[in-house]
């Protein structure tokens, strides 16, 4: 449900960009969600459709999920995040603040929590298309 | 193209009248105790107050408050639970009893996330407990929170105050409001910190003696007000 808060952020930022680029009507907004955060796509989509202002009335929201790659800063190992190895509470904690992944996930090769979230962390505004 | 989270932050804080970060260039000077006492004192005076623990890697305020078994409610965002009359937010809700080993960019990201999704009620004060240093937390607060003000804590030691003076000059250069200085853990009558603070044009708020009873009050907000910290900060809260 806190997807609403993220949707509000997407709409607010999109409006700012549309204004800056002089778009009278926005036709398409592309949002990327990193698999790590486990954002519920249907809720996000619903929230975006409810929150859209008139300038966005014909806009198509494209939402795609990006896989999460983690890279160990100690041994250099790179791996793909998979929530199936974690319990429900942990997945939920990471859902609210993805950085707590560093509390629960260790490098599968050397055991270090010192890894970088190379890609697929959370929500990201990819592109906005529209007509001037 | 863009991180959508930062643009919503001013709106999330728009119903908060004052945001006061308790901060110090130096560690271990009493920030967490003073931030918690300040939030409690303001609430006691009838203000609506939030407390946000921004010390993600070594949070303390949940221990001082004795906050147990509470979690934010998930609605169209995260609604902080009430602890001792305060709307209370901390990363410990999510990191629990385990370490959160975060690097600078990661602490920034966690802060942006929490500021973007936390739904504070209308508040008179949001008190922030900061980690020590003149680094990520201070720079992020300056960058992200339009109405940020700093309350700076020092001890009488030159090892603390020399760093604090640099911090004060930086904030002055950046034109960020400084509520004033608190001198904590005083053991003598020396007045040099007070004089130097005033020479910088900054308010000297109060001095707090070293009080060994503080340790016993940790986890018990009421007991805090029978210690020197609680009493002095309660007085101070009347002048905010
Ligand atoms: N006036 C005082 N009298 C006695 N002990 C005190 C006083 N002020 C602080 N302390 C003690 O000093 C220690 C540090 O206090 P506190 O954790 O509030 O400092 P801090 O500045 O938040 O530290 P950090 O930089 O690690 O966040 C604690 O053990 C606390 O009980
Ligand atoms: Mg502290
Ligand atoms: Zn490794």
């Amino acid at each position: 449900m806190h997807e609403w808060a993220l949707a509000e952020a997407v709409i607010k930022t999109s409006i700012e960009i549309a204004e800056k680029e002089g778009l009278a009507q926005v036709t398409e907004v592309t949002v990327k969600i990193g698999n790590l955060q486990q954002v519920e796509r249907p809720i996000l989509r619903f929230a975006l459709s409810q929150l859209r202002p008139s300038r966005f009335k014909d806009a198509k929201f494209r939402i795609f999920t990006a896989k999460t790659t983690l890279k160990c800063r100690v041994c250099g190992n790179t791996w793909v995040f998979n929530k199936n190895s974690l319990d429900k509470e942990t997945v939920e904690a990471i859902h609210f603040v993805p950085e707590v992944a560093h509390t629960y996930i260790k490098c599968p090769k050397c055991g270090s929590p010192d890894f970088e979230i190379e890609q697929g962390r959370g929500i990201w505004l990819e592109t906005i298309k529209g007509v001037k | 193209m863009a991180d959508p989270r930062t643009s919503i932050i001013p709106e999330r804080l728009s119903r908060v009248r004052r945001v006061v970060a308790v901060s110090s260039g130096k560690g271990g000077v009493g920030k967490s105790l003073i931030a918690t006492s300040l939030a409690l004192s303001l609430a006691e005076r009838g203000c609506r107050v939030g407390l946000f623990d921004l010390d993600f890697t070594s949070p303390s305020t949940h221990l001082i408050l004795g906050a147990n078994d509470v979690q934010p409610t998930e609605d169209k965002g995260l609604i902080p639970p009430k602890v001792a009359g305060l709307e209370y937010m901390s990363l410990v809700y999510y990191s629990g009893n385990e370490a959160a080993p975060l690097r600078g960019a990661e602490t920034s990201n966690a802060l942006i996330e929490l500021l973007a999704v936390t739904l504070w009620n209308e508040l008179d004060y949001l008190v922030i407990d900061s980690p020590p240093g003149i680094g990520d937390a201070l720079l992020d607060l300056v960058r992200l929170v339009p109405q940020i003000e700093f309350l700076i804590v020092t001890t009488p030691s030159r090892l603390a105050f020399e760093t604090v003076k640099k911090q004060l000059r930086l904030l002055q250069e950046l034109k960020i409001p400084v509520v004033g200085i608190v001198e904590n853990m005083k053991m003598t009558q020396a007045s040099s910190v007070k004089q130097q603070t005033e020479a910088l044009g900054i308010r000297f708020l109060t001095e707090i003696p070293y009080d060994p009873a503080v340790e016993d009050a940790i986890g018990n907000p009421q007991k805090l007000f029978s210690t020197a910290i609680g009493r002095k900060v309660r007085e101070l809260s009347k002048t905010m």
Side-chain angles (χ1 to χ4, degrees), chain B residues 27-33 55 132 184-185 208-211 214-215 229:
Chain B
V29 296
K31 295 178 292 297
S32 298
L33 280 159
D55 195 346
N184 188 26
M185 297 196 243
I208 304 173
Y210 184 86
D211 179 357
V214 165
E215 191 61 32
I229 291 200

Side-chain angles (χ1 to χ4, degrees), chain B residues 31-51:
Chain B
K31 295 178 292 297
S32 298
L33 280 159
I34 290 169
T36 310
S37 305
L38 179 64
L40 290 167
S41 304
L42 291 165
E44 192 183 68
R45 298 171 50 74
C47 298
R48 295 158 299 183
V49 186
L51 178 63

